[in-house]
């Protein structure tokens, strides 16, 4: 089922979301094939605040090295990553992680999907010392987030984060959308929330924000966006209408910096989706989850398809 959904998302959905662009602001790259290599760090972390005391629970997961190929920018986009395990710090314990993220930047719509399962965390002080291990702590999050880009004729998310087109002039856009998330947190004994060792939460809501790309010159650009919203949630989806509904704030920033030439590009991007699984106005029993990706990527564009042999003339 996941495979069919991914196929629809990337191969079918874009054709229903086509939009005309202002070519004085946006210019696509017309290369037939793009090869991509990247260093990526996907993550989920938890900040727990109890009676004014704040603890940050972090996973011990290293960066991964990945490779990808894109044919005609939108028709096929495949990638594969492999964890660089030798970069792990053994003092911070072991983390078992399954982290599947999709960040689709279309002309009119942006879509983010999160399937994350992490087991094993640690805490430390500001100098990254006094490390405490929580090997029994596990966090699961399943989420979907989407937004509409109003100024899609002049502003390009693709140019900022995929770099398969260029933002020729500085432009921005208002954003409107929302998301839905299911979270499950638990442990044998190290996690305690309201006298329990587990927490379940389902929430959904709306958000709005603004995105802007500054075209510094012909080659360099920097881009940033921020959305804030309100989610409504409870422990289980069946509890809506039966129990008290909680209200949670959300925040989703994105930042990118890049350099483009006709045949290659270099870029740095960072996204961080912040939601609360528990929230109170008096700063007690707050639990915030941050999930996202830090990525450094290099793109090499080709004018011919290296995967298809050209037929020799008779």
């Amino acid at each position: 089922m996941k495979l069919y959904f991914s196929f629809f998302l990337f191969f079918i959905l874009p054709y229903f979301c086509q939009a005309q662009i202002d070519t004085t602001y946006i210019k696509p790259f017309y290369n037939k094939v793009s090869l991509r290599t990247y260093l990526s760090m996907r993550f989920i972390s938890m900040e727990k605040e109890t009676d004014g005391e704040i603890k940050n629970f972090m996973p011990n997961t290293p960066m991964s090295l990945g490779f990808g190929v894109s044919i005609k920018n939108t028709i096929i986009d495949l990638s594969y990553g492999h964890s660089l395990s030798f970069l792990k710090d053994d003092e911070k314990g072991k983390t078992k992680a399954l982290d599947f993220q999709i960040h689709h930047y279309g002309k009119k719509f942006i879509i983010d999907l999160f399937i994350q399962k992490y087991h094993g965390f640690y805490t430390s002080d500001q100098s990254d010392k006094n490390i405490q291990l929580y090997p029994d702590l596990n966090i699961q999050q399943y989420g979907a987030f989407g937004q509409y880009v109003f100024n899609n004729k002049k502003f390009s998310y693709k140019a900022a984060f995929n770099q398969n087109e260029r933002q020729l002039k500085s432009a921005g856009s208002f954003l409107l959308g929302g998301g839905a998330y299911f979270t499950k947190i638990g442990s044998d004994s190290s996690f305690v929330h309201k006298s329990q060792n587990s927490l379940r939460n389902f929430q959904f809501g709306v958000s709005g924000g603004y995105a802007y790309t500054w075209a510094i010159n012909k080659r360099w650009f920097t881009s940033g966006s921020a959305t804030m919203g309100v989610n409504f949630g409870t422990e289980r989806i069946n509890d809506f209408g039966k129990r008290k509904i909680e209200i949670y704030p959300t925040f989703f920033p994105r930042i990118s910096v890049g350099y483009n030439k006709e045949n290659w590009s270099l870029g740095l991007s960072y996204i961080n989706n912040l939601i609360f699984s528990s929230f109170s106005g008096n700063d007690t029993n707050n639990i915030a989850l941050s999930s996202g990706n830090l990525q450094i990527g290099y793109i090499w564009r080709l004018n011919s398809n290296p995967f298809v042999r050209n037929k020799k003339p008779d």
Side-chain angles (χ1 to χ4, degrees):
M1 188 65 182
K2 295 177 183 178
L3 179 62
Y4 290 124
F5 181 77
S6 299
F7 180 85
F8 173 80
L9 181 65
F10 285 100
F11 303 154
I12 306 299
L13 183 61
Y15 291 98
F16 292 96
C17 303
Q18 294 296 321
Q20 294 182 350
I21 60 174
D22 186 336
T23 54
T24 63
Y25 280 80
I26 302 170
K27 180 183 178 182
F29 288 104
Y30 295 104
N31 305 77
K32 293 184 178 180
V33 177
S34 296
L35 303 179
R36 182 188 302 264
T37 181
Y38 58 87
L39 284 171
S40 175
M41 177 174 284
R42 299 179 179 185
F43 62 88
I44 188 168
S45 63
M46 179 177 70
E47 181 180 284
K48 187 174 185 295
E49 182 175 6
T50 305
D51 299 328
E53 181 184 1
I54 299 176
K55 282 188 175 183
N56 290 298
F57 297 83
M58 304 292 296
N60 185 19
T61 51
M63 299 191 77
S64 61
L65 176 65
F67 303 91
V69 57
S70 176
I71 299 177
K72 293 185 179 179
N73 291 331
T74 56
I75 297 178
I76 298 177
D77 191 355
L78 302 173
S79 62
Y80 171 79
H82 181 72
S83 176
L84 302 177
S85 300
F86 64 89
L87 295 178
K88 280 187 178 181
D89 187 344
D90 293 336
E91 293 183 1
K92 296 178 180 178
K94 295 182 179 181
T95 299
K96 295 181 180 179
L98 170 63
D99 196 321
F100 177 74
Q101 299 182 31
I102 293 178
H103 306 287
H104 173 71
Y105 300 99
K107 294 290 186 184
K108 293 183 178 181
F109 296 94
I110 57 174
I111 299 173
D112 302 278
L113 299 178
F114 299 88
I115 299 176
Q116 298 172 289
K117 297 182 179 181
Y118 282 71
H119 194 117
F121 289 79
Y122 73 93
T123 61
S124 62
D125 57 22
Q126 294 183 352
S127 60
D128 206 25
K129 303 295 183 181
N130 298 320
I131 296 172
Q132 297 183 23
L133 304 183
Y134 298 84
D136 62 329
L137 176 61
N138 66 84
I139 299 176
Q140 299 180 37
Q141 178 175 261
Y142 307 87
F145 181 83
Q147 287 195 315
Y148 179 77
V149 182
F150 284 92
N151 190 22
N152 48 72
K153 292 184 178 180
K154 295 183 178 180
F155 171 79
S156 172
Y157 254 120
K158 286 187 176 183
F161 289 90
N162 287 348
Q163 291 180 264
N164 55 15
E165 55 189 28
R166 282 183 288 186
Q167 187 81 47
L168 303 179
K169 295 182 181 180
S170 300
S173 176
F174 286 101
L175 311 167
L176 181 64
Y181 304 90
F182 172 74
T183 302
K184 185 177 180 181
I185 306 171
S187 73
D188 296 333
S189 59
S190 60
F191 174 82
V192 179
H193 177 70
K194 296 182 179 179
S195 302
Q196 296 183 357
N197 297 121
S198 64
L199 168 66
R200 293 168 59 97
N201 177 263
F202 175 81
Q203 59 181 274
F204 67 93
V206 297
S207 65
Y210 190 78
Y212 188 83
T213 296
W214 179 28
I216 301 173
N217 54 37
K218 187 178 179 180
R219 306 295 184 190
W220 287 96
F221 73 88
T222 183
S223 182
S225 70
T227 60
M228 300 182 67
V230 177
N231 282 357
F232 305 91
T234 185
E235 286 189 7
R236 293 174 176 84
I237 189 171
N238 295 332
D239 291 338
F240 281 92
K242 300 177 182 179
R243 296 187 179 184
K244 180 182 177 182
I245 303 301
E246 303 291 339
I247 300 176
Y248 313 96
T250 66
F251 182 55
F252 200 155
R254 307 174 197 252
I255 301 172
S256 68
V257 178
Y259 180 86
N260 291 317
K261 295 199 72 173
E262 193 63 33
N263 294 324
W264 61 272
S265 295
L266 183 65
L268 168 67
S269 64
Y270 174 74
I271 66 173
N272 189 350
N273 189 13
L274 174 65
I275 66 170
F276 284 82
S277 295
S278 177
F279 182 79
S280 61
N282 56 4
D283 296 333
T284 60
N285 296 316
N286 290 344
I287 297 177
L289 294 178
S290 295
S291 56
N293 188 16
L294 171 65
Q295 182 170 296
I296 303 172
Y298 175 82
I299 303 171
W300 180 34
R301 302 184 184 88
L302 305 174
N303 290 319
S304 60
N305 192 338
F307 306 103
V308 177
R309 291 184 178 181
N310 296 323
K311 292 184 178 180
K312 295 181 179 181
D314 295 333

